[in-house]
Amino acid sequence: MTYKHAHYGERIGSYMGEPIFASIDAPEGHFVFDRLARYVDDGYPLDQLGRGEVMSPAGVVYRLAD
């Protein structure tokens, strides 16, 4: 996801010092907050993501809205 050109919806919380937004509008589409990723060893494995999902560096997962 291109965060640089994204527009963020309402802030609904924070996790690991990073804000959690209800939604993110990016050039790739409209994403909505889905869940927090599971931390394993030294990070957040990408195999936790399904099709149409993106994850921030702090493990916040957003899914592409229908």
Side-chain angles (χ1 to χ4, degrees), residues 19-66:
I20 299 172
F21 298 99
S23 64
I24 300 174
D25 287 304
E28 297 84 356
H30 178 73
F31 293 83
V32 294
F33 172 72
D34 190 69
R35 66 186 182 284
L36 298 174
R38 186 179 76 258
Y39 188 83
V40 178
D41 296 324
D42 251 354
Y44 301 95
L46 295 179
D47 65 356
Q48 298 179 64
L49 296 177
R51 184 179 177 152
E53 293 183 331
V54 296
M55 181 173 21
S56 74
V60 181
V61 179
Y62 295 89
R63 65 176 166 75
L64 191 59
D66 296 329

